[in-house]
Amino acid sequence: MTDGSDGSDGAASVLDAIATTRAIRRYRDEPIPTADLARILWHAGRAPSGTNRQPFRFLVLRDGPAALEARTVMGEAFRAGWSAKREAGGYRPSRFVDSMQQYVDRFEQVPVIVLVCLDRYRAPNPYEGASVYPACQNLLLAARAMGYGGALTMWHLDVEADLRRILAVPDHVALSACITLGRPEGRHGPVRRKPLAEITFDDRWGAPAAWAAGPDRT
Ligand SMILES: Cc1cc2nc3c(=O)[nH]c(=O)nc-3n(C[C@H](O)[C@H](O)[C@H](O)COP(=O)(O)O)c2cc1C
């Protein structure tokens, strides 16, 4: 990918990646070479943060002893999390339901898991995520650009205490997100989102923006 500074191909491919980075939950049984992993995380780490303090940290779980233990604990949590959601949501059979089931059933085999953490430098506040979630999205976009796919999840919080113990995570560090990564079994494709006009106001809250249409005319 070029850097897009000439306003041509690079920028177009950035926009294309943004519009097609879906949550990928089915992975091929292929490891991610560490050079690729480093490249993905380098781009994730280019994200902005308040005063450029860069409090985000990437705790990578591959096949080390602590990672294997964490995978087991998380696998159980993810299966329980999905099972509860599935029951409460009353989902009809669908590709989404199948892919979620496969995701949790094979959680222990996910090629790479990244716990994106926030190394706090002040008391917790409601906006602290603003300095870590841009890095998460950069991570997903970089993975997408390199032919990988990922999903951001929060079910790891159900076993947070176990993860802290197994992975020696200090108290001042928040486990902000769990991102799974691998080569997609299926394909990326356009994300389905609300029409732009529904999420955009002009001048006052609730005032329609007549100009707010996307490239797909929504
Ligand atoms: C804050 C946040 C929490 C999420 N939590 C979960 C989760 O616990 N489990 C999961 O499978 N996906 C989770 N996701 C992924 C979303 O379900 C997904 O991005 C959304 O349904 C849109 O789907 P798409 O990205 O494939 O278009 C989460 C995403 C975000 C941003």
Side-chain angles (χ1 to χ4, degrees):
M1 189 193 287
T2 64
D3 67 2
S5 54
D6 61 355
S8 61
D9 287 3
S13 61
V14 169
L15 296 181
D16 184 60
I18 290 172
T20 60
T21 298
R22 283 189 188 163
I24 297 290
R25 301 189 178 87
R26 292 183 306 130
Y27 308 107
R28 286 195 230 151
D29 196 12
E30 286 175 28
I32 303 182
T34 48
D36 284 0
L37 199 49
R39 197 167 174 218
I40 291 169
L41 295 177
W42 186 88
H43 285 86
R46 301 311 97 189
S49 57
T51 336
N52 202 19
R53 278 182 181 265
Q54 303 165 58
F56 37 76
R57 300 287 180 269
F58 307 118
L59 178 46
V60 178
L61 305 182
R62 298 190 298 135
D63 52 8
L68 293 180
E69 202 183 334
R71 281 172 182 271
T72 304
V73 166
M74 276 195 279
E76 282 158 21
F78 274 58
R79 285 185 283 279
W82 168 236
S83 159
K85 197 175 161 106
R86 188 174 180 164
E87 252 168 58
Y91 294 100
R92 294 214 200 104
S94 68
R95 279 179 58 185
F96 169 74
V97 167
D98 288 349
S99 85
M100 282 299 267
Q101 194 59 52
Q102 183 176 328
Y103 183 51
V104 300
D105 286 346
R106 297 179 56 185
F107 189 82
E108 284 85 341
Q109 285 79 51
V110 165
V112 170
I113 300 165
V114 182
L115 291 176
V116 184
C117 303
L118 172 75
D119 193 357
R120 286 195 180 101
Y121 55 92
R122 59 181 173 193
N125 73 75
Y127 308 107
E128 63 183 6
S131 280
V132 67
Y133 293 117
C136 293
Q137 183 63 8
N138 267 16
L139 198 164
L140 293 168
L141 289 170
R144 162 84 182 94
M146 293 172 59
Y148 295 98
L152 184 153
T153 81
M154 301 301 276
W155 285 327
H156 66 292
L157 292 178
D158 293 345
V159 284
E160 182 177 353
D162 291 323
L163 292 175
R164 287 183 176 281
R165 177 181 48 77
I166 296 166
L167 305 170
V169 179
D171 288 348
H172 59 91
V173 171
L175 301 178
S176 304
C178 170
I179 298 185
T180 52
L181 285 175
R183 283 263 180 236
E185 249 185 30
R187 282 206 311 263
H188 282 275
V191 297
R192 293 177 55 198
R193 298 292 185 262
K194 292 177 178 167
L196 183 62
E198 197 178 321
I199 58 170
T200 307
F201 307 133
D202 194 1
D203 204 41
R204 271 176 296 112
W205 180 263
W211 44 265
D216 55 359
R217 304 212 164 276
T218 63

